[in-house]
Amino acid sequence: MSTQLTPEILAELAKRATAVRKNIIEMVTAAKSGHPGGSLSAADILVTLYFAVMRVDPHAPADPERDRFVLSKGHAAPVLYATLAERGFFSHSELCTLRQIDSRLQGHPDMKSVPGVDMSTGSLGQGLSAANGMALAGRVDGKDWRVYALLGDGELEEGQIWEAAMLAAHYKLDNLTAFVDYNGLQIDGPVSEVMSPLPIPEKWRAFGWHVLEIDGHDYNAIYDAIETAKTVKGKPTMIVAKTVKGKGVCSMEGIADWHGKAPSSEECVKFLAELCG
Amino acid sequence: MGKATREAYGEALKELGGRYEDIIVLDADLSKSTKTNVFAKAYPGRFFNVGIAEQNLIGTAAGLAAAGKIPFVSTFAMFAAGRAYEQVRNSVGYPRLNVKICATHAGLTVGEDGATHQAIEDIGLMRAIPGMTVIVPADATETHQAVAWAAEHKGPVYLRLGRMAVPDVFGESYRFAPGQAALLAEGADLTIIACGVMVAPARRAADELTQSGLSARVLNMPTIKPIDSAAIVKAARDTGAVVTCEEHSVIGGLGSAVAEVLGENAPVPMERVGILDTFGESGTPDALLAKYNLTVADIVRAAKRVVERKR
């Protein structure tokens, strides 16, 4: 099956993604700390989820019937905050308070304070377990809402991920769709060199998941994979999304150093110009 | 002899399962030991075995709670509080999710499995987590009531249970109340404050002390957090000396919690009966309690020492 987005929706997603990327760069610059690289790599996936897929209502962020999203790679909080603000969960003006004292926008997502954040994450390896629990709850109650999770490729080095991978397949959680943001880089360098979790698709297949491999910056591919996952019965789906760390800002792309470093104000101006160009 | 607190836990869960449709029970391949199998049999659609994977056990429970369920999770205390400590802290404690961690086989009295399976720091670990309620029931009656309270309470709870049968301390009229000590005996010369399996020996110690002309107040302290500061301060002011008794390290547990209250509010001579900064070993529960100084005689000696220090 191949599900295509209309040209109008494609244009909308591209516009939203650019706005989200702009906000990521600005908020991390203002915070003087944070994680731009892995936020930019995941931007197209989050924008597709929040603007073309997920059943959420910014005016009723805790609606029990909503779809859920768990950002397991919680250090990519800027992309989640920027996407939620873009979707109307809170004001864009709040984004510049990231990581500052008394802000709701903690360095890693806090479900207790930020509308639209479904799970507190940040300590790597724990988000997929929470997504499992949500999917189980939906199953027990016979609900049709779905659960989405986004994992980092470096995060796959955490053992808990594979405990959770087993559970989701064992309990046939077909209401759960997860992504690996496969940008190939972690703090200390390429994931293949630091502690290789490769090959990624084969591992998830071996654990009993339905696995799709896509370009994580192609909106049609992301959308099609999600729609395909909805039709898969008896298995959770893992969408291994090949991405580029720092995607969208030429001089940040593919550089591990931009995992957890804030741009200077001069760099910020330059990066924003690259984004618009 | 009564029954083990874990037995009472299984029975309480089954009973509560009928009353609360949102209760979901998770276990990590120990359901026969933790007694969650009693619930599993009654409500198979609301029981999930996650296998030997305690980090995922806690994380899955967090997700269930985030979606409105009341998850009760069980495994041995070593794994619930120890192995999955960071998951309890970050996935349950930080978001204050409504997860009930009912950990069994706590303390030395798990016995022959030895030091690797004897959780003697779990109270300290759990009470250090902001917002966590920590309960250590003394017998089956108290366990039953504490489990019922946990189901009703909104927020994370750590309930510490034991493997071995323990004597019944409370009658049917007893009412567990979180954050409240229960007065088991009145006395004027010192106060013995105990929790869990040490409550029954504490009472016997008080009886023995009367033969030496000492009258001991005995308090059962089922909630280590929030702790009953008022009862502790009153005990210090009324009796002038305190002994704590716990099947846990003297570092971080009941003794530490009581010392914090006394130090800040009513400093009096104090002695802590507990495990003295050492690991356990294999042995029968009774032999272990004797070797690690957790007997009635140990409590009596501590009581005499603390009264001596008043002078």
Side-chain angles (χ1 to χ4, degrees), chain A residues 81-135:
Chain A
Y81 296 151
T83 305
L84 290 172
E86 190 68 18
R87 187 72 176 78
F89 281 87
F90 49 87
S91 162
H92 280 99
S93 63
E94 196 172 337
L95 292 176
C96 63
T97 68
L98 173 73
R99 288 179 168 245
Q100 289 173 26
I101 196 77
D102 294 332
S103 171
R104 294 195 293 185
L105 305 185
Q106 294 291 296
H108 295 83
D110 174 7
M111 66 184 287
K112 283 290 179 210
S113 65
V114 187
V117 171
D118 291 321
M119 184 64 205
S120 299
T121 52
S123 180
L124 292 178
Q126 301 186 22
L128 188 59
S129 297
N132 281 343
M134 293 174 190

Side-chain angles (χ1 to χ4, degrees), chain B residues 190-226:
Chain B
L190 79 153
T191 301
I192 302 173
I193 303 176
C195 66
V197 302
M198 295 304 290
V199 172
R203 287 182 68 171
R204 291 210 302 279
D207 291 343
E208 285 194 16
L209 283 165
T210 55
Q211 288 157 28
S212 315
L214 290 174
S215 85
R217 177 181 297 184
V218 180
L219 291 177
N220 169 46
M221 190 67 74
T223 8
I224 312 301
K225 186 184 176 186

Side-chain angles (χ1 to χ4, degrees), chain B residues 155-173:
Chain B
V157 174
Y158 180 78
L159 189 75
R160 187 189 208 231
L161 304 169
R163 175 182 174 214
M164 304 305 299
V166 287
D168 288 329
V169 177
F170 301 106
E172 283 307 310
S173 61

